[in-house]
Amino acid sequence: MVGDTPTLARPLAPDGWTLGSLALAGLLLMPLVAVAWMALFPTENIWPHLVEHALPVYLSNTLILMGLVGVGAACVGTGAAWLVVMTEFPGRRVMEWALLAPLAMPAYIGAYALVDMLEYAGPVQTGLRALFGWSSARDYWFPEIRSLGSAVFVLTITLYPYVYLLTRAAFREQSVCVLEVGRSLGCGPWGVFFRVGLPLARPAVAAGTAIVAMETLNDFGAVDYFGVPTLTRGIFSIWLDTFNAGGAAQIACVMLVFVLALLAVEKISRRGRKFFHTSRRYRPIRRADPGPVGRWLAFGLCLLPVLMGFVAPAAIVGWHALDHLDQWLSPAFWRALWHTAALAGVAAGVSCLIGVFLVYGARASRLSAPRWLAQATALGYAAPGAVLAVGVLIPFAALDNMVADFTAARLGFDPGLILTGSAAAVVFAYVVRFAAIAHGAIDSAFGRVTPSMELAARTLGETRGGTLHRVHLPLIRGSVLTAALLIFVDAVKELPATLILRPFNFETLATTVYGAASLEQLDQAGPAALAIVVVGLLPVVLIVRTMDRSRPGEALAP
């Protein structure tokens, strides 16, 4: 009978999945809404003072830093990608994955290592004094290490892999025929690059540069160590020095405007510039042979950012870790390691659970609101950690006070700070910031599951929850685990949100390294810094395992 057949049509009225998706998306967007509310309605409005005195300095330094780092990362990443894809030189296959290694090096660890190597008591200046017989700093000139220029250098060599990864994929996917047409029309290697290859890869370069700019905006550890007053440092200064949450929220809103502007620029740069392959036939890329000198020059140009962005700082960190073996047995190190693993693990698990619910709830609903809100949660990933910390701490503190007042009045005892006095606020900030990673990976995995499998399960009487559990989850398990790994690694390296939201006397690996560096005792944080770098290598290995599949027909290459 028709009445006994399970209906396949999705209801127009909101069901449990729809309502749950809306609630979760609203919860993830709550910190950003809280920041906007505190900025518009501050308890003590210091906006005129900020505009007159502090904001011009923060804005100018932030703009200069983002601009220089973006240009530098675009040049290094695009140039390296072109060389490894289009040029044959010794060690090219090793350089393909080695150029990704700086992704494992947080910028703040790179900053600490640079200062440790180049400061007055460091090995470089000590060696120069010994070599030339200089007795003091008055006998020679050496550039200022803690400066805007050093911040630009460190952020460039640690963030260029974002541009390299996307641009390399774009170059590998370009049609060989198009490149050969350029050569047949008289273009040399430089002409093919500037007139054919680079214009076709422009969307990838723009996307990678936008990511670099947002990561630069988010950075706190490096700019704080180099003494560069940026918007991120401004949030910390106003929060900790004047205890003005409204002022911190107002600067946070300025940072959000930057984020939205970067996202808009990246989207506009791709609008109207769509490039299509007119043929499904692919041939292996014929890499140019630049000659004996050119081959070694290409190798050196690819090796240089790897040495400066990963090998040198990793060697310095490793030397301190091995030179202070007692630190490996320190209870403080193992507590920080446990705190880091627990926070990152819980955040990764919760983010993936929310991602599955959001994606499946949006797909199960015929309403457009869950899909739009799920996509809007990606702003959490683009928002700097310091901004999210402001948006999390104030609402959580208000909720803690409400709960404490209620229990004291009704039950006669004070439960204390349940949220802000524990690691719950830190985990929530991690989830808000990194849920977009889980959403992207899981949404893509769901898209690869044929709808007929779900229809068959529903026809056989399975509920939506049962279909998700028995059909979808086994098929998307690999994508979920990959997303969890990436979130875990990012959470291990997260510094700004952790510094603001962590409970008293609660240290992670990142805050341990930051605290030691603040006291000029980087050698004491060797094990913690090395552990962060080793964990950071995990996504690099994951990317290396899959990046050779980015171009059809590449298997035909010799």
Side-chain angles (χ1 to χ4, degrees):
M1 296 178 61
V2 176
D4 297 330
T5 303
T7 179
L8 299 182
R10 289 176 290 187
L12 291 175
D15 58 3
W17 288 96
T18 300
L19 295 176
S21 298
L22 292 174
L24 287 175
L27 187 64
L28 294 179
L29 291 173
M30 182 267 292
L32 300 180
V33 175
V35 168
W37 178 268
M38 288 187 291
L40 293 174
F41 307 101
T43 303
E44 180 184 356
N45 187 19
I46 62 171
W47 178 250
H49 173 79
L50 292 176
V51 172
E52 184 178 357
H53 298 287
L55 201 58
V57 177
Y58 295 150
L59 276 175
S60 59
N61 283 304
T62 301
L63 286 172
I64 293 172
L65 190 65
M66 291 171 63
L68 293 178
V69 173
V71 171
C75 293
V76 175
T78 305
W82 181 262
L83 287 176
V84 298
V85 173
M86 299 297 178
T87 307
E88 192 62 59
F89 59 87
R92 182 188 60 81
R93 290 188 177 275
V94 175
M95 286 295 105
E96 277 191 307
W97 62 262
L99 283 162
L100 292 169
L103 280 176
M105 184 65 61
Y108 53 85
I109 293 182
Y112 305 153
L114 179 72
V115 173
D116 189 72
M117 181 172 58
L118 299 181
E119 65 179 348
Y120 181 80
V124 173
Q125 291 200 52
T126 301
L128 289 174
R129 290 195 297 271
L131 180 62
F132 294 101
W134 296 326
S135 58
S136 68
R138 294 188 298 270
D139 297 334
Y140 64 98
W141 175 86
F142 201 83
E144 178 61 39
I145 303 303
R146 303 199 182 195
S147 63
L148 177 63
S150 296
V152 170
F153 173 77
V154 169
L155 289 169
T156 298
I157 62 174
T158 54
L159 296 178
Y160 80 85
Y162 289 108
V163 180
Y164 166 77
L165 185 62
L166 296 177
T167 309
R168 175 187 174 277
F171 286 147
R172 286 171 61 91
E173 292 169 2
Q174 289 178 6
S175 173
V176 176
C177 299
V178 175
L179 301 175
E180 289 182 348
V181 167
R183 295 189 184 102
S184 66
L185 293 177
C187 291
W190 288 103
V192 172
F193 173 70
F194 284 108
R195 297 184 181 182
V196 181
L198 186 58
L200 292 176
R202 188 182 305 170
V205 176
T209 305
I211 295 174
V212 168
M214 284 187 284
E215 290 293 331
T216 303
L217 182 65
N218 177 58
D219 180 77
F220 171 73
V223 297
D224 181 65
Y225 198 61
F226 288 130
V228 182
T230 61
L231 290 170
T232 306
R233 280 195 73 198
I235 290 179
F236 279 83
S237 298
I238 293 173
W239 188 294
L240 300 178
D241 295 342
T242 67
F243 302 100
N244 191 299
Q250 287 167 342
I251 294 183
C253 277
V254 175
M255 296 180 70
L256 286 178
V257 171
F258 271 77
V259 169
L260 294 175
L262 287 169
L263 293 175
V265 168
E266 190 274 332
K267 186 176 293 290
I268 291 172
S269 68
R270 293 184 285 115
R271 183 176 299 171
R273 290 183 172 89
K274 298 182 179 180
F275 308 102
F276 303 96
H277 299 299
T278 58
S279 173
R280 294 186 178 182
R281 298 178 60 188
Y282 283 84
R283 286 180 292 162
I285 295 174
R286 291 195 306 170
R287 298 181 179 88
D289 186 354
V293 176
R295 286 195 295 267
W296 287 107
L297 179 61
F299 173 76
L301 290 175
C302 291
L303 180 63
L304 194 60
V306 178
L307 290 177
M308 295 187 299
F310 180 78
V311 176
I316 293 172
V317 168
W319 171 260
H320 286 312
L322 294 176
D323 196 42
H324 293 78
L325 293 177
D326 57 306
Q327 294 296 321
W328 291 96
L329 303 177
S330 169
F333 167 73
W334 289 103
R335 280 197 302 270
L337 181 62
W338 163 246
H339 291 162
T340 302
L343 290 176
V346 172
V350 173
S351 297
C352 288
L353 287 175
I354 291 177
V356 170
F357 199 102
L358 279 177
V359 172
Y360 192 65
R363 292 169 65 90
S365 174
R366 295 192 65 180
L367 301 178
S368 58
R371 288 188 290 274
W372 282 103
L373 283 177
Q375 294 175 2
T377 58
L379 287 175
Y381 184 68
V387 174
L388 294 179
V390 173
V392 169
L393 185 59
I394 300 302
F396 273 30
L399 183 59
D400 271 340
N401 290 329
M402 291 175 57
V403 172
D405 292 342
F406 177 82
T407 54
R410 299 298 179 88
L411 303 178
F413 74 96
D414 187 351
L417 300 176
I418 300 174
L419 298 176
T420 55
S422 67
V426 182
V427 172
F428 181 67
Y430 287 174
V431 171
V432 173
R433 178 153 168 72
F434 302 123
I437 299 176
H439 181 273
I442 293 169
D443 188 42
S444 176
F446 267 105
R448 295 192 295 268
V449 178
T450 176
S452 60
M453 300 186 69
E454 180 174 359
L455 291 174
R458 297 301 306 279
T459 303
L460 294 173
E462 191 63 83
T463 63
R464 289 202 182 277
T467 302
L468 174 65
H469 175 67
R470 294 182 174 86
V471 177
H472 287 96
L473 287 182
L475 296 174
I476 67 172
R477 181 174 52 190
S479 296
V480 173
L481 292 177
T482 299
L485 172 62
L486 294 176
I487 294 170
F488 181 89
V489 172
D490 278 344
V492 167
K493 298 186 291 185
E494 173 62 34
L495 178 62
T498 312
L499 281 175
I500 294 178
L501 297 173
R502 60 179 174 148
F504 179 73
N505 203 27
F506 185 95
E507 300 291 344
T508 65
L509 293 176
T511 60
T512 298
V513 175
Y514 173 80
S518 300
L519 299 174
E520 303 297 335
Q521 298 175 348
L522 183 61
D523 55 331
Q524 301 297 317
L530 186 61
I532 293 175
V533 173
V534 171
V535 171
L537 284 173
L538 294 176
V540 175
V541 174
L542 183 65
I543 294 171
V544 169
R545 289 181 57 187
T546 58
M547 71 181 186
D548 282 336
R549 307 168 189 170
S550 62
R551 183 180 190 274
E554 192 67 21
L556 301 175

